[in-house]
Amino acid sequence: MDFRFKKVCRRIITGVLTAVVATVAVLFPINADAAEPLGVSYSAFYSNTGWGIWNMDNTSAMQHGSHIGALKLGLYNQPAEQSGTILYQVNVSKTGWLEWVENGAVAGSEIMGEPLESVRVKLSGDLEAQYDIYTKVLQNDNKWTAWAKNGEDAGTAGVGTHIRGIRISVLQKGSEAPNDAEEIDPGRPMIALTFDDGPSVHTPAFLDVLEKYNARATFFVLGGNLRGNQIETVKRAVSLGNEIGNHTMSHLQLTKRSASSVRAQIDGVTLLITGITGVQPTLFRPPYGSYNSNVLKQLTQSGYACILWSLDTLDWKTQNANETARVVLEKAKDGDIVLMHDSHVSSAKALERIVQGLQARGFQLVTVSELAMHRGGVSAGQTYSAFR
Ligand code: ZN
């Protein structure tokens, strides 16, 4: 459907990350909802950028090139009738174990910048009796530790390892250890598949393939499509770990529009996506890949990074599953952002071969925000076509 032209993107990576937009912005839940399971949220103090976003239960908190110097942990959806809270203790390099702190307090140093070497996390009161809490850390050898449970050491103190990332999850007592499916190995190649112009009647077929192969992707949706059954499709996409980005309300050529018109095209979708998923999108893809200084200015004000692509399948043009799969499998390389469309059944048919083929070659299929998080991050109003 689209005539597309590539822009050579100014990739301005300064090493200084904008933490709020570097990953999917999470709306930190305030009100406990008994219907929702208990979860742990956590914010890390990164050596490069300071405090990061509040990560939700069992997501990876890390930033490229940073170690972690301090942590804040909290719980959400704690039933009012259950006593107890979350307690945690950190081991700071050259200092050793600090005192236990609880629920929202800072553990570690924001000033000295010394890295954490180990962390212990546990629950108290009724929570301790009814839940297990698991913690694992990414060490400076780029490897995640095994899960440490209920106050065990996550990470090894005193042997020169530093914590670069952390992941925490709380589960009903006696459950199996948390799912590791979303875990990304920063030492292995990764690619972000992106699908534009949906959600459509074909989108569930894309999700089926992603679910089957434990892969994730980013869907740049049109606000005009967010109604009826497509709303459930978007919710399912998010529940499977996929990312939802903004592709405007109605696919206009934004370079020909006024500032207020561009802004309406962007912000209308922000409201819709946030309403459906509870997560505010931070990535924008301009229709036709077409943008100018006005578009970037509006994106800056709306908090969006402008995401282009490095590998164009032209799937909308060929509408040939064999050809679409061939292009990706022949050309894909580490850090690519691949452009496809979930508005075509041929692309859905190509996807299984693409996912199988890329995974067989060792590529991890991640969302754009995950790719960005491991490769320098993004800033609002900047354009990106790949993350090498
Ligand atoms: Zn489009």
Side-chain angles (χ1 to χ4, degrees):
M1 133 181 205
D2 296 342
F3 169 71
R4 294 176 181 276
F5 56 93
K6 292 185 182 179
K7 297 246 179 189
V8 177
C9 301
R10 291 172 299 135
R11 180 165 173 246
I12 302 173
I13 305 279
T14 60
V16 177
L17 315 183
T18 308
V20 174
V21 290
T23 54
V24 178
V26 171
L27 302 179
F28 187 61
I30 295 160
N31 298 317
D33 179 346
E36 298 290 328
L38 179 70
V40 55
S41 56
Y42 36 104
S43 176
F45 186 87
Y46 298 101
S47 55
N48 288 353
T49 56
W51 288 106
I53 62 162
W54 281 95
N55 278 75
M56 306 298 280
D57 197 291
N58 203 10
T59 56
S60 301
M62 60 162 295
Q63 280 189 6
H64 184 78
S66 265
H67 63 252
I68 291 175
L71 289 169
K72 292 186 285 193
L73 277 52
L75 296 168
Y76 54 91
N77 300 328
Q78 180 174 355
E81 68 278 11
Q82 288 184 356
S83 70
T85 189
I86 187 168
L87 299 108
Y88 43 106
Q89 179 182 32
V90 299
N91 186 293
V92 181
S93 187
K94 298 175 187 165
T95 302
W97 288 102
L98 305 186
E99 293 297 311
W100 286 91
V101 297
E102 64 177 51
N103 196 25
V106 174
S109 173
E110 305 167 56
I111 300 162
M112 289 167 58
E114 290 295 344
L116 302 186
E117 296 188 354
S118 188
V119 180
R120 294 169 179 156
V121 183
K122 64 183 183 182
L123 300 169
S124 63
D126 293 343
L127 297 180
E128 184 182 16
Q130 295 180 28
Y131 297 91
D132 289 321
I133 191 157
Y134 291 86
T135 306
K136 62 165 55 185
V137 295
L138 177 70
Q139 298 182 314
N140 51 337
D141 59 359
N142 256 352
K143 293 203 172 74
W144 287 92
T145 62
W147 289 109
K149 188 177 171 184
N150 299 334
E152 294 173 347
D153 292 9
T156 311
V159 294
T161 56
H162 299 159
I163 291 179
R164 293 192 43 230
I166 188 164
R167 185 164 166 173
I168 313 173
S169 186
V170 61
L171 290 170
Q172 287 285 344
K173 197 118 200 134
S175 303
E176 286 180 25
N179 181 7
D180 276 351
E182 286 177 40
E183 198 161 288
I184 297 166
D185 180 349
R188 282 173 47 212
M190 51 188 109
I191 282 178
L193 299 176
T194 66
F195 307 113
D196 287 9
D197 298 356
S200 80
V201 293
H202 305 302
T203 308
F206 287 75
L207 295 177
D208 290 344
V209 173
L210 294 169
E211 183 174 19
K212 180 177 174 185
Y213 291 92
N214 236 326
R216 296 184 299 286
T218 304
F219 292 83
F220 287 99
V221 301
L222 292 172
N225 290 345
L226 294 175
R227 53 190 149 72
N229 294 338
Q230 318 312 11
I231 290 175
E232 289 310 310
T233 299
V234 168
K235 287 182 178 174
R236 182 181 165 216
V238 171
S239 75
L240 294 172
N242 299 292
E243 181 168 20
I244 308 298
N246 184 332
H247 195 41
T248 72
M249 287 300 292
S250 52
H251 215 275
L252 299 180
Q253 174 84 34
L254 296 181
T255 51
K256 296 176 178 165
R257 300 282 161 165
S258 67
S260 62
S261 166
V262 169
R263 196 62 185 274
Q265 283 285 318
I266 297 168
D267 291 352
V269 184
T270 309
L271 285 172
L272 287 168
I273 293 175
T274 307
I276 293 168
T277 69
V279 177
Q280 188 171 333
T282 57
L283 305 180
F284 178 84
R285 173 162 285 157
Y288 316 102
S290 177
Y291 64 92
N292 58 16
S293 59
N294 176 43
V295 171
L296 294 180
K297 185 178 167 193
Q298 305 313 317
L299 289 176
T300 304
Q301 291 176 4
S302 295
Y304 280 101
C306 183
I307 305 298
L308 302 163
W309 56 86
S310 52
L311 202 169
D312 190 349
T313 60
L314 296 174
D315 60 338
W316 60 274
K317 192 174 176 184
T318 63
Q319 297 200 28
N320 179 316
N322 289 339
E323 177 61 13
T324 300
R326 185 193 66 78
V327 171
V328 178
L329 294 176
E330 275 185 11
K331 296 184 177 173
K333 49 188 188 300
D334 183 31
D336 267 339
I337 299 174
V338 177
L339 173 62
M340 294 177 67
H341 296 79
D342 54 322
S343 45
H344 297 293
V345 67
S346 53
S347 303
K349 287 178 179 160
L351 185 62
E352 183 150 14
R353 287 168 52 196
I354 289 171
V355 170
Q356 262 183 328
L358 291 178
Q359 287 184 337
R361 293 172 202 187
F363 287 108
Q364 303 171 94
L365 298 177
V366 300
T367 67
V368 172
S369 279
E370 288 169 335
L371 179 61
M373 180 170 70
H374 289 83
R375 302 286 172 84
V378 294
S379 297
Q382 302 294 338
T383 61
Y384 304 89
S385 59
F387 294 91
R388 303 292 184 206

